[in-house]
Amino acid sequence: MNKLLNQIIDKEKTIKTNIRTNQYTAVIFQKERNNPYTSHFYIAQELEPYLGSLELNFFISKYNEMSNKSGKKVSIYALNYGLCMDENLRWGKPKGNEYRTYFIESPFNFTPVIKNFLSENKKIYCENCMHEFSEEEYNLMKKYGGTCLKCGCKNSIQEKRVLSDEERSEIEEIEKKDNLLEREQYQLLKLLQYSRKDKTATELAQELDVSWQKIGWIAKKIEEDYCYLKKEPRKGKMYYVLSDLGREYLDSITP
């Protein structure tokens, strides 16, 4: 998970440099060339499942769906605002209807980034003879009907994602702890942890894109069932605050 996130951040930083140094000459980048917006990216929709862990941990969130320049439906993701501040990446896009396609410009196509990450962690094998093959051999077998080069068995070639020890450990810890919370409860806690400040129901609702009434319902369950959260009145407003137990819980599942 951390490896993929770092690859995404590095790619955004490269785009930022290339815009500033005029290596990307598209007119749409001209207005903010000195300090370009580099907080979003798009991928082919079939790759969405591979971003699930990053989205669950609130490092990224799905922003929109649009058609790219080739007319293919793609999914646009946004990096967490606080993460962008930490990494010196400008969040958002230029104002104006003419910039509505800003994040489907070709530099922001991160499909190759995700595919390269997956190919580095992929096992290709024949389920009949269990022989493993390279990517080049796999492409050759696909070209000739998927017949195994080793044993000749047809339609027996499988692709399997191989998790690194770090990823496996992270997933085990998250699954061990996260099954106690619903997704929205977990995201609310992660938002408070990552923003490093207490927030009102209105502020949480805006960032999680739900109603403030729903925030009250989510927070009530976390507060009463798990004691991970508490409320504090300040100057006529009610703030949600992570409890010590909540911080311990998040620290125990966050790499």
Side-chain angles (χ1 to χ4, degrees), residues 188-189 191-193 195-205 208 211-224 228-234 237-243 247:
L188 188 151
L189 289 177
L191 176 57
L192 287 173
Q193 180 196 40
S195 62
R196 298 172 186 164
K197 66 177 184 178
D198 308 329
K199 292 181 178 289
T200 65
T202 301
E203 291 171 332
L204 289 168
L208 293 176
S211 68
W212 65 265
Q213 293 96 332
K214 188 167 187 178
I215 291 295
W217 177 81
I218 297 170
K220 186 173 186 289
K221 292 189 70 175
I222 303 173
E223 181 184 9
E224 295 181 355
Y228 291 160
L229 199 64
K230 56 184 178 181
K231 296 196 292 281
E232 290 184 2
R234 299 173 196 162
K237 293 183 179 180
M238 189 65 72
Y239 285 82
Y240 289 98
V241 182
L242 282 176
S243 68
R247 294 185 188 281

Side-chain angles (χ1 to χ4, degrees), residues 112-152:
V113 175
I114 310 302
K115 284 186 173 179
N116 287 339
F117 172 77
L118 294 174
S119 67
E120 292 172 358
N121 299 274
K122 184 168 62 176
K123 177 182 177 181
I124 302 169
Y125 65 99
C126 171
E127 62 180 357
N128 182 56
C129 67
M130 300 308 295
H131 186 80
E132 292 187 27
F133 298 96
S134 67
E135 186 77 29
E136 292 74 19
E137 289 171 324
Y138 180 50
N139 290 333
L140 180 63
M141 288 185 287
K142 284 197 297 184
K143 186 176 180 181
Y144 292 101
T147 301
C148 176
L149 295 173
K150 188 73 174 177
C151 69

Side-chain angles (χ1 to χ4, degrees), residues 36-73:
Y37 294 93
T38 50
S39 57
H40 292 55
F41 61 91
Y42 76 84
I43 62 167
Q45 291 193 327
E46 58 266 25
L47 294 176
E48 280 191 25
Y50 300 107
L51 297 182
S53 293
L54 294 179
E55 193 170 12
L56 181 62
N57 281 274
F58 213 67
F59 291 121
I60 64 172
S61 57
K62 188 171 179 180
Y63 172 74
N64 200 0
E65 293 181 358
M66 294 181 69
S67 296
N68 66 8
K69 299 298 179 70
S70 302
K72 184 179 179 181
K73 204 81 168 176

Side-chain angles (χ1 to χ4, degrees), residues 1-35:
M1 185 170 65
N2 281 344
K3 183 178 179 182
L4 178 57
L5 179 63
N6 289 334
Q7 288 180 6
I8 290 172
I9 291 171
D10 288 345
K11 175 67 173 176
E12 293 284 19
K13 289 181 176 179
T14 299
I15 294 171
K16 176 182 176 179
T17 297
N18 288 343
I19 293 175
R20 294 180 68 178
T21 56
N22 292 292
Q23 293 188 52
Y24 296 144
T25 58
V27 175
I28 202 167
F29 297 131
Q30 194 60 40
K31 182 179 178 181
E32 302 288 348
R33 192 167 290 280
N34 290 332
N35 186 21

